[in-house]
């Protein structure tokens, strides 16, 4: 039975991912990003949210290493930070 048990740190990290995905706007952002990189304006459009609201949720997701950002001039493109997040969301 111990074979399938995660270490304390790994279990905490997995729970942190699930907490991040438990908020509907964040989940919609993550689902949108599974299709590729997007800027905050496009994410706001596809999630029917405000740019301000999406920016706030992106900050939370970035702080928790769920998404990453790349700057292209004045634009910032967001993408999924880790393939594990992609796999977890697809499995859910």
């Amino acid at each position: 039975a111990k074979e399938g048990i995660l270490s304390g740190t790994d279990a905490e990290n997995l729970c942190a991912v699930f907490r991040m995905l438990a908020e509907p706007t964040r989940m919609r952002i993550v689902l949108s990003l599974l299709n590729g990189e997007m800027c905050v304006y496009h994410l706001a459009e596809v999630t029917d949210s405000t740019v301000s609201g999406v920016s706030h949720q992106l900050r939370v997701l970035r702080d928790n290493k769920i998404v990453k950002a790349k700057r292209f001039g004045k634009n910032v493109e967001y993408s999924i930070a880790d393939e594990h997040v992609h796999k977890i969301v697809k499995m859910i």
Side-chain angles (χ1 to χ4, degrees):
K2 277 192 163 186
E3 275 184 37
I5 302 297
L6 295 173
S7 71
T9 302
D10 288 343
E12 287 176 25
N13 291 338
L14 184 58
C15 288
V17 170
F18 284 120
R19 278 192 300 276
M20 289 303 103
L21 299 176
E23 199 283 325
T25 302
R26 286 195 292 261
M27 177 56 92
R28 293 171 70 206
I29 289 169
V30 169
L31 290 170
S32 298
L33 292 175
L34 292 178
N35 296 315
E37 294 181 346
M38 297 180 82
C39 71
V40 67
Y41 301 105
H42 292 140
L43 285 167
E45 187 176 315
V46 299
T47 60
D48 294 322
S49 302
T50 65
V51 170
S52 173
V54 169
S55 292
H56 171 74
Q57 298 303 339
L58 284 167
R59 183 178 52 78
V60 172
L61 290 167
R62 280 182 69 189
D63 289 349
N64 287 280
K65 298 175 178 45
I66 304 296
V67 301
K68 61 184 176 180
K70 284 193 289 187
R71 182 171 291 282
F72 297 100
K74 292 183 179 183
N75 292 325
V76 177
E77 296 281 321
Y78 294 90
S79 61
I80 300 297
D82 187 339
E83 184 63 27
H84 291 98
V85 173
H86 186 93
K87 289 178 183 178
I88 289 168
V89 172
K90 287 291 187 182
M91 286 175 24
I92 297 171

